[in-house]
Amino acid sequence: MKFFVDTADVGKIKDLAETGMVDGVTTNPSLVAKTGRDFSEVIAEICSIVSGPVSAEVAATDAPTMIAEGRKLHNIAENVTVKVPLTVDGLKACRTLSDEGTMVNVTLCFSSAQAILAAKAGATFVSPFVGRLDDIGSNGMELIRDICEIYANHTAFKTEILVASVRHPMHVVESARLGVDVVTIPPSAIRQLYNHPLTDKGLDAFLKDWAGTGQSIL
Ligand code: E4P
């Protein structure tokens, strides 16, 4: 399972990239707005740090402008993945850009029916938003289970499932259990993945006992 980082914060991406577990990055207009920086500059900088797919989202809502924006974004770097919303125009843009050899991430997917359409449109990735479904009392991971089952039944579908809107470690663990291709995780949830109180407690005890020996390894 690939790990993407869900942020446009270059400092955080650099820091996490040092762990060697960053396979790609996803951004969206809200995440870019938070940085207060120029969109193209941010995407170019991220692409210079991470060699895997870096999602950059179009801002237009009509297919011809989405396609023009997508081509411009793709020119920033070879690994730019153009992100389009799951709308009729978004799927038209997906088909055109995919046929041109550009990676496309179809975002804002909230149903299995939408995921089928993304695959039919030749998307490289489809992004179902599990956290936002949980937020409205639906079960986000149920949707992932459904999409996994549907895609497994249709080998012609080459689209990778990219679990998005991840809020906590169980979204990641359950995604791994279901065999999804990619999970995009915000830096805050990545920190939660590392943390366990017994790890901290155990380390404290080891360090205390080690100090008592008066020894040093170096
Ligand atoms: C995915 O590509 C989106 O950028 C992201 O996962 C949305 O997450 P949110 O629901 O936390 O905003």
Side-chain angles (χ1 to χ4, degrees):
M1 184 170 75
K2 285 170 273 190
F3 269 31
F4 288 3
V5 183
D6 197 25
T7 184
D9 184 323
V10 171
K12 288 180 179 163
I13 293 168
K14 268 190 193 148
D15 185 44
L16 288 163
E18 284 173 16
T19 66
M21 65 167 205
V22 177
D23 301 307
V25 172
T26 51
T27 69
N28 63 38
S30 309
L31 293 171
V32 172
K34 263 194 216 170
T35 68
R37 295 185 52 195
D38 176 79
F39 182 28
S40 303
E41 271 177 33
V42 173
I43 296 300
E45 197 174 343
I46 297 172
C47 289
S48 72
I49 302 165
V50 175
S51 58
V54 173
S55 289
E57 190 159 341
V58 298
T61 52
D62 65 287
T65 317
M66 282 185 197
I67 293 165
E69 288 181 349
R71 286 177 181 148
K72 190 169 174 190
L73 291 170
H74 182 65
N75 278 339
I76 295 174
E78 199 50 44
N79 54 328
V80 166
T81 300
V82 177
K83 215 172 178 191
V84 298
L86 212 155
T87 58
V88 173
D89 281 77
L91 293 180
K92 285 182 193 170
C94 174
R95 172 47 67 199
T96 300
L97 293 166
S98 294
D99 286 349
E100 291 174 1
T102 298
M103 290 188 286
V104 180
N105 176 358
V106 176
T107 190
L108 292 168
C109 171
F110 292 96
S111 76
S112 303
Q114 289 180 321
I116 293 169
L117 295 179
K120 293 287 289 176
T124 316
F125 304 103
V126 64
S127 291
F129 278 35
V130 293
R132 294 193 194 187
L133 280 170
D134 292 351
D135 289 346
I136 61 157
S138 250
N139 185 336
M141 292 315 297
E142 269 305 315
L143 172 61
I144 303 302
R145 189 169 292 112
D146 281 352
I147 300 172
C148 284
E149 190 183 334
I150 291 165
Y151 279 14
N153 286 338
H154 297 275
T155 47
F157 289 174
K158 302 295 179 210
T159 303
E160 294 193 14
I161 301 170
L162 193 168
V163 176
S165 187
V166 163
R167 300 270 197 267
H168 51 71
M170 285 320 291
H171 280 150
V172 179
V173 172
E174 192 55 24
S175 296
R177 187 172 285 124
L178 291 172
V180 307
D181 305 285
V182 194
V183 182
T184 188
I185 320 170
S188 56
I190 292 178
R191 265 194 305 281
Q192 285 180 280
L193 284 176
Y194 283 107
N195 290 342
H196 198 288
L198 290 180
T199 304
D200 297 339
K201 195 177 165 199
L203 183 59
D204 280 350
F206 287 158
L207 292 176
K208 207 166 149 208
D209 291 343
W210 177 250
T213 70
Q215 299 182 54
S216 137
I217 296 173
L218 293 176

